[in-house]
């Protein structure tokens, strides 16, 4: 599915992404979460409440094969990524809340993600397909190292951290696009094998995440800017991390079948998030002209 070079590129991307995320954080950000925890906790509940449940429900309803169901659930259980922060900024939403939610969900993932996988993925395991929970936990823990390094750079060299933060945000989208394109070029036959159920799962996970994340935030009477941030944080998962977990944790024989659905999700969530951003910016412009 991915060449050795592409796998190395993905590993480098993960390190850069996590360092970029760390470069956007300070100790004061975590103090702010402790002082005003309501928004981040709503986002955390939405992130780890809705997304794994949506992935499980889609896998069941669409009758996905076990390996594809597990890969979809892995995507649903991953924390938010820096891409959600980027779209939150473009949509003129609450960027500070988005960053705090991403940081919180990433740290919590080390404990919560394996537990969620045990809850939702166990229904799709059999004698030939096991979920390596220990390997997944190790991968998540290792990813905290570049996060801490990025925070250290922010504390000591703020200018370098600002550059690293931008590189981390943009490289995620760039390399995901590269992986999608090369995946299509080298594995064009996979398109013919991609079923309507796979397309529905890849599109539905992100779109339903946006909708339910927004509705939960609205139900709890958060601001409009916070609702948009929570919607993006819920629907946009850390796709590179999901891909890295699959590559690092599962046998190579399963990679081709397990990687394709997360790549489709990454493609469609970027498209749907872009459309949602344009809609919200248009609505914002209409409101301003109406006042």
């Amino acid at each position: 599915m991915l060449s050795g070079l592409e796998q190395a590129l993905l590993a480098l991307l993960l390190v850069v992404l996590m360092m970029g995320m760390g470069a956007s954080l300070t100790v004061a950000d975590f103090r702010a979460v402790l002082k005003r925890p309501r928004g981040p906790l709503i986002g955390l509940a939405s992130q780890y409440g809705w997304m794994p449940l949506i992935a499980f429900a889609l896998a069941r309803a669409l009758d996905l094969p076990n390996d594809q169901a597990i890969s979809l659930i892995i995507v649903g259980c991953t924390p938010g990524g820096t891409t959600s922060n980027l779209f939150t900024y473009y949509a003129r939403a609450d960027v500070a809340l988005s960053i705090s939610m991403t940081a919180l969900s990433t740290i919590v993932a080390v404990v919560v993600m394996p537990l969620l996988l045990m809850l939702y993925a166990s229904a799709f395991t059999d004698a030939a397909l096991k979920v390596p929970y220990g390997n997944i936990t190790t991968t998540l823990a290792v990813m905290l190292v570049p996060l801490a390094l990025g925070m250290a750079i922010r504390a000591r060299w703020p200018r370098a951290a600002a550059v690293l933060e931008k590189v981390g945000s943009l490289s995620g989208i760039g390399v995901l696009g590269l992986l999608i394109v090369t995946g299509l070029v080298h594995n064009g036959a996979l398109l013919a094998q991609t079923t309507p159920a796979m397309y529905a799962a890849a599109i539905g996970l992100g779109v339903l995440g946006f909708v339910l994340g927004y509705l939960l935030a609205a139900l709890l009477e958060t601001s409009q800017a916070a609702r948009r941030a929570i919607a993006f944080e819920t629907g946009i998962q850390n796709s590179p991390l999901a891909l890295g977990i699959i590559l690092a944790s599962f046998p190579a024989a399963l990679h081709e079948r397990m990687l394709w659905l997360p790549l489709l999700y990454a493609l469609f969530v970027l498209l749907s998030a872009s459309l949602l951003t344009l809609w919200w910016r248009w609505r914002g412009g209409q409101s301003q002209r109406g006042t």
Side-chain angles (χ1 to χ4, degrees):
M1 180 67 191
L2 298 178
S3 67
L5 176 61
E6 289 162 351
Q7 291 188 36
L9 187 61
L10 178 60
L12 179 61
L13 162 67
L14 282 173
V15 173
V16 173
L17 276 176
M18 299 306 290
M19 287 183 66
M21 189 186 302
S24 70
L25 299 172
T26 65
V27 175
D29 294 324
F30 290 97
R31 290 196 188 116
V33 171
L34 293 175
K35 289 180 180 178
R36 302 182 65 183
R38 185 171 182 269
L41 288 178
I42 292 173
L44 194 69
S46 187
Q47 167 82 38
Y48 287 124
W50 287 129
M51 292 303 280
L53 181 60
I54 294 169
F56 176 81
L58 286 171
R60 279 294 196 203
L62 298 170
D63 197 24
L64 294 178
N66 286 348
D67 49 5
Q68 293 177 4
I70 290 174
S71 69
L72 184 69
I73 291 171
I74 287 173
V75 175
C77 292
T78 53
T82 54
T83 306
S84 61
N85 308 150
L86 201 60
F87 278 106
T88 299
Y89 171 77
Y90 290 144
R92 297 169 182 167
D94 193 333
V95 178
L97 175 60
S98 178
I99 291 172
S100 66
M101 287 189 295
T102 299
L104 189 59
S105 68
T106 300
I107 294 171
V108 170
V110 178
V111 175
V112 172
M113 185 175 177
L115 295 176
L116 289 171
L117 286 174
M118 288 180 189
L119 176 63
Y120 291 109
S122 58
F124 301 96
T125 59
D126 52 39
L129 181 60
K130 302 291 185 183
V131 178
Y133 302 108
N135 291 350
I136 291 173
T137 303
T138 301
T139 302
L140 291 167
V142 168
M143 285 297 101
L144 294 182
V145 175
L147 180 77
L149 182 58
M151 290 186 65
I153 292 173
R154 171 66 180 267
R156 188 159 186 177
W157 300 290
R159 290 185 180 178
V163 174
L164 181 59
E165 181 183 351
K166 291 179 181 178
V167 170
S169 298
L170 296 176
S171 65
I173 296 176
V175 176
L176 272 178
L178 176 63
L179 291 174
I180 291 167
V181 171
T182 55
L184 292 174
V185 171
H186 298 317
N187 304 275
L190 286 176
L191 279 178
Q193 300 171 22
T194 304
T195 64
M198 293 174 66
Y199 283 116
I203 297 170
L205 182 61
V207 171
L208 289 173
F210 294 145
V211 172
L212 294 177
Y214 185 92
L215 290 178
L216 177 63
L219 181 66
L220 296 174
E221 299 181 342
T222 64
S223 68
Q224 184 62 235
R227 294 174 194 180
R228 295 180 181 184
I230 290 171
F232 280 131
E233 189 67 23
T234 304
I236 303 176
Q237 303 293 77
N238 193 332
S239 304
L241 180 58
L243 294 170
I245 285 172
I246 292 171
L247 287 171
S249 305
F250 289 86
L254 294 174
H255 287 174
E256 182 175 304
R257 285 182 57 82
M258 293 190 72
L259 290 174
W260 188 236
L261 199 49
L263 281 172
L264 281 179
Y265 161 81
L267 170 63
F268 286 115
V269 82
L270 291 177
L271 293 175
S272 56
S274 298
L275 292 174
L276 185 57
T277 298
L278 291 173
W279 167 254
W280 274 333
R281 286 181 69 94
W282 180 80
R283 286 287 302 273
Q286 291 290 98
S287 299
Q288 289 177 1
R289 284 192 288 271
T291 57

